[in-house]
Amino acid sequence: RHCSESNMPTVLLRCPDEPQDWLIIELQGTIEGAADLSGLPLGKLVIDKNNAEMWIGHHHLKGKVVDLKTPMAVLQKPADESDSVERSMEIVALVKRQVVFKTRPKPIVSLDKA
């Protein structure tokens, strides 16, 4: 299939001097709550060199920080985007690493005696 250049939208990428450095957290399974969890903190993540630990509710996870084979860019449309053929996107962040948890979460059990 042949596409003429006049039909292809042009995308101009703008990059700030130093985009933020983000990382991906890879979890297996689902996170459920009694209420809507949107916008709420998920848990606590601690990264020490290439080791990561995460606490979510009564669960503790241990994992590793690894480099992505192919880094990714997080793009955002400008608020004043018009419907022209030329479009622009801003690079908000670069994702070069991810946290991988390979083991099942360990439950945290409280041994408080009342």
Side-chain angles (χ1 to χ4, degrees), residues 30-38 40 42 56-57:
T30 12
I31 297 174
E32 298 176 354
D36 183 17
L37 301 174
S38 300
L40 296 175
L42 178 62
I56 301 175

Side-chain angles (χ1 to χ4, degrees), residues 48-79:
D48 182 26
K49 297 183 182 176
N50 288 331
N51 296 312
E53 290 188 70
M54 187 169 195
W55 293 266
I56 301 175
H58 297 289
H59 301 284
H60 178 229
L61 298 115
K62 288 187 176 184
K64 298 273 182 200
V65 179
V66 296
D67 292 332
L68 290 175
K69 290 179 183 174
T70 306
M72 294 184 268
V74 179
L75 306 176
Q76 180 178 14
K77 280 196 229 179

Side-chain angles (χ1 to χ4, degrees), residues 5-16:
E5 280 193 35
S6 61
N7 293 339
M8 301 282 292
T10 303
V11 178
L12 173 67
L13 294 176
R14 291 188 209 132
C15 184

Side-chain angles (χ1 to χ4, degrees), residues 27-28 60-63 100-106:
L27 298 171
Q28 303 295 322
H60 178 229
L61 298 115
K62 288 187 176 184
V100 179
F101 298 101
K102 292 191 177 189
T103 59
R104 296 181 62 83
K106 294 180 182 174

